[in-house]
Amino acid sequence: MKKNFYITTPIYYASGRLHIGSASSTCFCDSIKRYKKQMGYDTRFMTGLDEHGQKVEKKAEAKGITPQEFVDNLAVNAKELWRKLGCDYDYFIRTTDESHVRQVQKAFEKMLEKGDIYLGEYDGNYCVSCETYLTQSEVGENGICPSCGQKVSKVKEKSYFFRLSKYQDRLLKFIEDNPLFIQPEGKKKEVVAFIKGGLEDLSVSRCTFSWGIPILSNPKHVIYVWLDALFNYLSGLNVYGEDKSLYEKYWLNGECIHVVAKDILRFHAIFWPVFLMSLDLPVNFKLICHSWVLMYGEKMSKSKGNVIYPETFINRYGLDSFRYYILREFPFGDDLTCTPEDYILRYNADLVNDFGNLVSRSLAMSEKYFNGLVHNTKTNNEFLKDLEDVAKKTVENYHSYMNEFRVDKALAEVNALVSRTNKVIDETAPWALFKEEKLDELEAVIYHLLESIRIISILYVPYLIESTPKIFEALSLNNEEKDLLHLTFFNKELYNSKKLEVNLFPREKDPLKAKEEIIEEMAVEINKEY
Ligand code: MSP
């Protein structure tokens, strides 16, 4: 029976155009989904939009349209962006979906009935931009949100509260018993320390604005946007709907991964498991926490003028270049400082010089020396033996990194195999073998190059989604020969290859000029209405 795998991005705030930071999370999930599919899993990948809350209400107001109109436009744009990035989600959830609304309302009533939610009054700070309640010590004398740097609002209103404190010990025990619940390890430590500092009851409703899900038993209040949003992971599986098959398949009988960036880890590592405990639903997910993509070392913001959108890179260097760059550099631990110069450097080095060159040279030699028909010819050449060993080891390492979700390291492994394969060309000098008429030796070399390219391309499938099919076609591979799950090494009998019609990765010949143009384009894009 197939194993089930469920992966989710955070649902992005429907408050503006999505930039490369959000794109990094979605591409990451997409690459993991594609890998799991290759490995024979039944996969479900969900992304979507977080459409309620005061921030959205204010933005819509400023534009003079209704919040619903505002979020409807953004949903169209988000889907369009994911389509451009090749992100193959199975379901796009919106928190204004009727089904989600009904299920959140039901969850809230259940928590009320259980006595985990009570009515009180909130008197304190609220950051509209992060949709977060903050203590006085967190905002300091100047009333600034420590996460986004914006001024917080003072709020005094009747509010329902969730008894977070009641679950503190159970949550700590859960984290201790499930060592892989929060990855990487360092992030887990931060969360544990925070919980040990003491959990305060959480305000879970607002009554001074209306763009949210009304509480069924007291519709003057709308449900706190984080409770609403977190529940998407289960409403998207129809947990409280009529047909529970998705919930049973993926949540009860699958591996569930929520991908989050560090700024929203606490919500996912504390509120979400506790809500599930309160609802008597299993806490059956793991959190993969990544860091941020910074532009020139700073958090992207329109006011700083340093926001970059994926389209800018894709239009110049193609989709694969973007997916490759963002996943090869995917930040765990330190933030990734993105700059156009680094992007071009990586593109020219890894994709143009190393991989693209390897593929085009090898296919050209196969054609030139053997008309594209290359047999699996045996030889004692030590370089070729070494290549075989490196290829096997690479695949082993690749799998272990992918199973730890370390796409950056998995890609570094593949690159090392690309370099090793390129080196074989220098070591064996096929043109000299041809001159010396050592045709068996030459055939063995070309065979090894093609076989190595086949293996590399299979490993690149989750990332280079446009170029790998072209390479498979040039190598005339059947489905079995593209299979990662049953990958074979250097025993395919014959290659029937042809040269590529297109240059997969055209070189950026003038990086300096390109950088300036990209910066100019950033300035234009940032001001576009969206
Ligand atoms: N709506 C909430 C999430 C609710 S999930 C139940 C939210 N939305 S967000 O749009 O502000 O952020 C969504 C995700 O994108 C978060 O993980 C956030 O950290 C991530 N990123 C936003 N900017 C980012 C970068 N510059 N770099 C990497 N990720 C960043 O929070």
Side-chain angles (χ1 to χ4, degrees):
M1 217 178 65
K2 277 191 168 188
K3 286 189 263 174
N4 303 322
F5 181 79
Y6 177 46
I7 189 160
T8 64
T9 69
I11 47 172
Y12 304 102
Y13 282 127
S15 55
R17 183 169 173 186
L18 297 171
H19 53 56
I20 63 169
S22 350
S24 71
S25 287
T26 312
C27 288
F28 174 78
C29 292
D30 182 69
S31 69
I32 301 288
K33 171 198 161 160
R34 286 172 189 264
Y35 169 73
K36 291 286 180 183
K37 252 183 120 167
Q38 279 182 300
M39 295 307 286
Y41 284 72
D42 185 323
T43 56
R44 184 172 174 86
F45 165 24
M46 191 167 80
T47 187
L49 289 184
D50 188 351
E51 302 186 335
H52 289 128
Q54 207 170 1
K55 174 159 64 174
V56 173
E57 192 180 75
K58 284 189 166 180
K59 291 230 170 177
E61 205 177 84
K63 280 196 152 217
I65 56 178
T66 66
Q68 191 63 55
E69 283 169 322
F70 181 69
V71 296
D72 284 350
N73 290 338
L74 286 165
V76 171
N77 294 333
K79 286 182 187 170
E80 173 63 14
L81 175 63
W82 303 144
R83 195 193 57 73
K84 267 193 202 144
L85 293 179
C87 292
D88 188 20
Y89 58 79
D90 298 283
Y91 190 58
F92 188 95
I93 191 160
R94 302 179 53 188
T95 53
T96 52
D97 290 341
E98 200 202 316
S99 156
H100 171 80
V101 169
R102 252 188 292 113
Q103 295 184 67
V104 170
Q105 286 177 321
K106 197 161 171 182
F108 197 93
E109 292 303 312
K110 277 179 185 274
M111 291 171 174
L112 261 175
E113 275 162 32
K114 193 160 179 189
D116 281 347
I117 287 180
Y118 62 91
L119 192 58
E121 189 178 66
Y122 181 78
D123 184 0
N125 304 295
Y126 191 77
C127 172
V128 175
S129 173
C130 300
E131 301 282 9
T132 312
Y133 298 97
L134 294 161
T135 61
Q136 197 51 45
S137 66
E138 283 172 312
V139 304
E141 271 175 22
N142 298 331
I144 298 295
C145 168
S147 178
C148 69
Q150 310 236 12
K151 192 139 183 74
V152 298
S153 320
K154 286 272 177 211
V155 171
K156 187 170 186 274
E157 61 189 354
K158 279 222 164 313
S159 172
Y160 284 92
F161 284 83
F162 183 94
R163 294 183 204 280
L164 262 194
S165 44
K166 171 178 158 188
Y167 288 92
Q168 177 161 332
D169 293 341
R170 201 170 143 194
L171 180 60
L172 279 172
K173 168 122 183 36
F174 175 82
I175 297 176
E176 201 177 296
D177 293 346
N178 294 276
L180 294 179
F181 173 54
I182 302 168
Q183 300 173 47
E185 178 73 18
K187 290 287 164 201
K188 179 173 99 183
K189 288 193 180 129
E190 281 174 29
V191 170
V192 169
F194 184 82
I195 301 171
K196 285 189 172 157
L199 296 181
E200 283 176 21
D201 288 356
L202 174 72
S203 163
V204 285
S205 77
R206 303 284 313 269
C207 62
T208 46
F209 72 96
S210 62
W211 184 240
I213 300 182
I215 295 175
L216 273 183
S217 52
N218 187 357
K220 274 192 226 122
H221 287 254
V222 294
I223 296 172
Y224 175 41
V225 67
W226 269 101
L227 196 165
D228 164 357
L230 286 164
F231 207 71
N232 92 87
Y233 301 126
L234 273 185
S235 68
L237 296 178
N238 218 15
V239 59
Y240 289 149
E242 299 236 309
D243 175 1
K244 296 190 185 343
S245 53
L246 286 172
Y247 168 68
E248 280 157 12
K249 181 171 178 181
Y250 292 105
W251 197 267
L252 298 184
N253 296 294
E255 182 183 358
C256 307
I257 301 292
H258 298 323
V259 173
V260 297
K262 58 186 182 182
D263 53 327
I264 58 168
L265 176 63
R266 277 186 202 170
F267 299 91
H268 285 80
I270 299 175
F271 302 166
W272 183 221
V274 165
F275 292 158
L276 291 170
M277 288 172 187
S278 168
L279 295 166
D280 297 314
L281 295 170
V283 185
N284 185 25
F285 67 89
K286 290 191 200 106
L287 290 170
I288 304 298
C289 180
H290 63 86
S291 307
W292 287 329
V293 180
L294 307 178
M295 194 66 196
Y296 284 113
E298 285 194 83
K299 200 148 194 243
M300 279 174 271
S301 88
K302 282 202 169 197
S303 54
K304 283 188 209 139
N306 66 346
V307 184
I308 186 149
Y309 301 103
E311 292 92 331
T312 300
F313 287 129
I314 292 173
N315 295 342
R316 293 185 81 97
Y317 303 115
L319 171 57
D320 282 0
S321 79
F322 179 75
R323 292 178 61 104
Y324 176 81
Y325 169 81
I326 212 74
L327 297 168
R328 173 67 186 87
E329 301 280 359
F330 198 73
F332 288 104
D334 290 343
D335 292 331
L336 161 65
T337 283
C338 172
T339 65
E341 19 316 25
D342 286 348
Y343 189 102
I344 297 167
L345 214 63
R346 263 251 175 260
Y347 171 72
N348 268 347
D350 295 6
L351 294 180
V352 179
N353 287 350
D354 288 353
F355 185 53
N357 235 339
L358 171 67
V359 174
S360 62
R361 281 169 90 192
S362 305
L363 290 173
M365 288 193 285
S366 168
E367 176 115 341
K368 180 171 172 198
Y369 300 135
F370 299 103
N371 274 330
L373 280 183
V374 183
H375 296 84
N376 187 355
T377 311
K378 300 289 166 213
T379 151
N380 287 325
N381 186 313
E382 58 179 304
F383 301 121
L384 300 186
K385 278 263 157 299
D386 185 56
L387 178 64
E388 289 183 15
D389 294 342
V390 173
K392 283 179 198 149
K393 192 74 200 135
T394 298
V395 173
E396 233 174 75
N397 295 344
Y398 176 86
H399 283 306
S400 37
Y401 285 132
M402 288 306 282
N403 287 325
E404 292 166 12
F405 307 102
R406 289 304 301 258
V407 293
D408 54 333
K409 291 190 172 176
L411 278 170
E413 283 291 322
V414 189
N415 294 353
L417 178 57
V418 172
S419 302
R420 182 67 196 91
T421 314
N422 266 321
K423 202 164 154 224
V424 160
I425 304 182
D426 299 334
E427 288 164 341
T428 58
W431 47 92
L433 295 173
F434 183 69
K435 247 192 187 159
E436 294 158 20
E437 294 182 16
K438 292 185 179 160
L439 292 189
D440 279 355
E441 187 80 3
L442 177 62
E443 192 161 9
V445 170
I446 306 298
Y447 174 85
H448 275 75
L449 296 179
L450 298 183
E451 181 65 355
S452 190
I453 290 171
R454 181 182 71 90
I455 294 167
I456 290 164
S457 304
I458 292 173
L459 301 181
Y460 272 151
V461 158
Y463 308 97
L464 307 181
I465 62 172
E466 287 188 332
S467 34
T468 48
K470 291 181 189 148
I471 299 170
F472 292 148
E473 210 201 308
L475 294 174
S476 313
L477 301 181
N478 62 32
N479 282 342
E480 259 172 44
E481 292 163 342
K482 293 182 238 172
D483 189 1
L484 176 61
L485 188 56
H486 306 103
L487 189 61
T488 56
F489 293 89
F490 301 89
N491 64 10
K492 174 174 156 59
E493 273 182 22
L494 174 73
Y495 269 100
N496 182 1
S497 73
K498 44 183 184 292
K499 276 203 294 195
L500 280 169
E501 301 292 321
V502 287
N503 183 355
L504 291 179
F505 305 109
R507 178 179 309 282
E508 174 52 80
K509 296 200 182 85
D510 193 344
L512 268 181
K513 183 158 161 261
K515 172 195 147 186
E516 275 156 28
E517 285 170 4
I518 291 172
I519 290 174
E520 270 167 36
E521 193 179 322
M522 277 170 66
V524 174
E525 286 294 310
I526 215 168
N527 291 317
K528 272 197 190 154
E529 268 301 301
Y530 196 68

